[in-house]
Amino acid sequence: MKNFNYLLIITFLIFYSFKLFSQNTISVGFSSTLNNSNINFYNNFFPQNLRTDPFSSENFSFIAELKNTKSTGIRIETSSILKGWKENFNSQILINNYRYLNIPVMMTTYFGERALKVNFSVGPYVDFLLNNNSLSISDSYPDKEILFDSNRDNDFGYGLKASSGFSLDYKKHTFLFLVSYLYNFDNLIDVEDKTISIPDISNFRTLQLSLVYLFNFSKDEI
């Protein structure tokens, strides 16, 4: 809850800082993204790391960006993202995947006077769980203990996203190549009774490579 309060403060500061400047450009577009996600399983009750391997996926995002005359603004993204991990269970490789509605709200800034610019963005995001494959895994492997329980675990998540990369600006059209990192502050599994078998830390970490296209409108065209 403490981390969530920090995210609310960051979000407020992003919107407040943007109001200090007059709006100049509105951009809308989409991105194609390659995701590499994993989960951090750790058990404080009986200190141990549970080994998992990364899970790769692709997704498309819709993007809106508000930018002022100083090339600073706000970027809002909406996407359906698949997070997960791979693990070895009884000599079988299991793929656990969780589909989320992911919405980052980031402060973004561009550096450079020419068409090629450097871009940095940072801000909080929220995740809303849409579906997962835990039920099909439990049907095939009833002895597996680490599975999502809708009556116990979290279907809402939040975290911080940071991006950096390059942009090519052609007045009406902007192309960006971005590398991003998403870190969940909350746990997937909401532990009530500590045991050796169920980890009390279970947060997602995701690395992204994105190609972004934006169409730019000036303030006078809106």
Side-chain angles (χ1 to χ4, degrees), residues 17-167:
S17 63
F18 184 70
K19 289 182 179 180
L20 297 178
F21 305 98
S22 59
Q23 177 185 309
N24 184 57
T25 304
I26 296 178
S27 303
V28 294
F30 59 89
S31 70
S32 176
T33 300
L34 176 64
N35 306 288
N36 188 271
S37 63
N38 204 341
I39 196 166
N40 176 35
F41 279 143
Y42 187 76
N43 197 323
N44 285 303
F45 180 75
F46 186 77
Q48 61 176 325
N49 282 306
L50 303 180
R51 180 176 174 80
T52 60
D53 293 312
F55 169 77
S56 297
S57 64
E58 298 179 1
N59 72 280
F60 288 90
S61 303
F62 294 99
I63 299 175
E65 189 173 272
L66 308 179
K67 189 170 61 176
N68 58 33
T69 55
K70 298 191 176 185
S71 296
T72 298
I74 295 175
R75 180 183 299 153
I76 302 174
E77 301 179 16
T78 303
S79 64
S80 172
I81 180 174
L82 196 62
K83 299 182 182 182
W85 69 93
K86 297 178 182 179
E87 63 178 297
N88 189 317
F89 181 75
N90 293 339
S91 300
Q92 298 288 326
I93 301 300
L94 301 186
I95 299 177
N96 302 263
N97 55 59
Y98 294 75
R99 184 168 295 281
Y100 290 92
L101 175 64
N102 177 257
I103 306 175
V105 180
M106 299 184 290
M107 185 173 182
T108 184
T109 186
Y110 295 81
F111 297 96
E113 300 296 330
R114 299 185 178 182
L116 181 63
K117 297 180 176 65
V118 178
N119 175 249
F120 295 100
S121 305
V122 64
Y125 68 84
V126 292
D127 275 334
F128 300 94
L129 182 62
L130 301 176
N131 56 65
N132 64 80
N133 68 339
S134 290
L135 184 59
S136 62
I137 291 178
S138 65
D139 289 341
S140 301
Y141 303 92
D143 295 333
K144 192 175 188 305
E145 295 181 307
I146 303 177
L147 287 169
F148 183 82
D149 184 341
S150 59
N151 295 319
R152 177 196 64 190
D153 299 331
N154 296 315
D155 56 8
F156 170 79
Y158 57 91
L160 192 68
K161 179 176 181 176
S163 302
S164 65
F166 299 94
S167 71

Side-chain angles (χ1 to χ4, degrees), residues 164-182:
S164 65
F166 299 94
S167 71
L168 283 172
D169 192 353
Y170 298 102
K171 293 185 179 179
K172 288 292 185 182
H173 311 277
T174 300
F175 298 90
L176 298 95
F177 176 76
L178 300 175
V179 179
S180 307
Y181 185 73
L182 290 80

Side-chain angles (χ1 to χ4, degrees), residues 43 145-147 152 189 191 193-200:
N43 197 323
E145 295 181 307
I146 303 177
L147 287 169
R152 177 196 64 190
I189 300 174
V191 176
D193 299 317
K194 292 181 181 288
T195 67
I196 293 176
S197 58
I198 304 297
D200 49 14

